């Protein structure tokens, strides 16, 4: 048994070493990813209750030279650890604003920013510069942040968020319901929207607790006069439930998957209201 135990430990150590090496390698490769043009933006539609597409969320993809596409769920945390995320997010903001500025129908874009951006960089200045440079209307930009932004330096983060709103850019609270203090944060800052996390939406049909939580969040939004968007909507049953609860907007594979903007070209080039 001792022998076997040692074998198991060696196996885990080898697996650990492999993971650490793998992580270091990706972190090294990330350093040149921007200049080597390995990042691509995907766009996922957000629809109003009647199905009309009103905005696109911008989702980053990394086309690694040796590995095909790597998910942001994998590389964003690695970029956050090294601080490289600030340069990456600035690249995303610039590219997405440039793209959206060309859209005939003037739909909005929702851009994810990392909590690390708020600690390391001057986010309001960066946004102001990009808006000036691309001439995109600030009202067409929404920043999605998680409550992680408010965790280490609460007052500092609130001040930065105020400066962002002063530019005319909207701020949405992402992944709502998954953190610890979401409710008090809603009181501390005038968010423009709350986004129900997909973990609740996906279990709507199978888990009564999830349905109750979604019901409560939509009710909270109504009381606070905050539009609520649900993400991860995959089935018509989920859509029907959310519609009956009065959820303002929907996002998910049922409405449309994230794709390069070429896939949605006919939507963004149509005239307003089309
Ligand atoms: P998120 O902001 O919560 O984005 C939603 C994620 O759910 C996206 O994953 C999206 O592709 C996926 N999704 C949307 N609808 C559905 C659905 O119906 N079913 C399922 N199963 N999944 C759905 P993705 O693109 O892999 O992004 C993962 C996370 O990476 C994002 O979570 C966000 O936190 C982060 N991220 C993505 N792009 C950026 C970026 O440019 N900057 C930063 N800082 N973070 C980003
Ligand atoms: Ca998001
Ligand atoms: Ca989410
Ligand atoms: Ca997230």
């Amino acid at each position: 048994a001792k022998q076997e135990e040692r074998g198991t430990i060696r196996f885990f150590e080898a697996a650990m070493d492999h993971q650490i090496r793998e992580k270091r390698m990706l972190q090294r490769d990330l350093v040149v990813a921007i200049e080597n043009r390995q990042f691509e933006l995907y766009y996922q539609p957000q629809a109003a209750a009647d199905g009309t597409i009103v905005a696109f969320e911008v989702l980053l993809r990394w086309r690694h030279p040796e590995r095909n596409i790597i998910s942001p769920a994998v590389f964003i945390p690695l970029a956050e650890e090294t601080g490289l995320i600030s340069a990456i997010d600035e690249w995303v903001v610039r590219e997405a604003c440039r793209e959206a500025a060309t859209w005939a129908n003037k739909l909005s874009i929702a851009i994810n920013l990392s909590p690390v951006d708020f600690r390391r960089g001057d986010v309001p200045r960066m946004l102001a510069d990009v808006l000036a440079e691309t001439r995109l209307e600030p009202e067409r930009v929404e920043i999605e942040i998680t409550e992680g932004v408010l965790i280490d330096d609460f007052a500092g983060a609130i001040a930065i968020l105020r400066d962002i709103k002063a530019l005319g850019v909207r701020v949405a609270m992402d992944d709502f319901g998954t953190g610890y203090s979401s409710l008090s944060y809603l009181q501390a800052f005038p968010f423009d929207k709350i986004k129900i996390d997909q973990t609740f939406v996906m279990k709507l049909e199978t888990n009564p607790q999830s349905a109750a939580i979604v019901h409560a969040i939509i009710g909270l939004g109504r009381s606070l006069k905050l539009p609520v968007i649900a993400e991860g909507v995959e089935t018509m049953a989920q859509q029907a439930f959310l519609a009956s609860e009065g959820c303002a907007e929907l996002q998910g594979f049922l409405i449309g998957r994230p794709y390069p903007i070429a896939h949605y070209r006919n939507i963004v080039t149509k005239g307003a209201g089309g």
Side-chain angles (χ1 to χ4, degrees), residues 57 144 146 174-176 178 195-199 231:
E57 180 176 14
E144 294 192 1
T146 59
D174 206 353
D175 296 354
F176 190 81
T178 57
K195 195 161 188 182
I196 307 176
D197 193 64
Q198 56 182 283
T199 52
E231 71 175 355

Side-chain angles (χ1 to χ4, degrees), residues 38-141:
Q38 292 163 7
F39 288 124
E40 292 171 22
L41 295 184
Y42 277 40
Y43 292 79
Q44 183 177 35
Q46 300 182 333
D50 67 359
T52 318
I53 292 174
V54 291
F56 284 90
E57 180 176 14
V58 180
L59 294 160
L60 187 59
R61 299 289 179 266
W62 182 17
R63 196 176 289 278
H64 189 281
E66 283 126 42
R67 288 166 196 239
N68 219 341
I69 289 185
I70 301 181
S71 155
V74 172
F75 70 81
I76 297 280
L78 302 184
E80 285 177 335
E81 262 181 47
T82 59
L84 205 61
I85 189 67
S86 305
I88 295 175
D89 279 344
E90 178 168 350
W91 182 88
V92 171
V93 169
R94 181 165 285 110
E95 292 299 309
C97 290
R98 230 180 241 166
E99 171 59 42
T102 69
W103 297 349
N105 63 3
K106 300 196 176 284
L107 294 184
S108 296
I109 45 172
I111 303 174
N112 294 285
L113 289 184
S114 159
V116 176
D117 301 333
F118 284 72
R119 269 180 262 137
R120 299 181 68 111
D122 186 348
V123 175
R125 159 101 279 144
M126 182 269 281
L127 288 170
D129 288 349
V130 172
L131 289 169
E133 186 185 311
T134 59
R135 296 162 179 256
L136 181 67
E137 301 88 333
E139 314 78 60
R140 293 175 57 199
V141 179

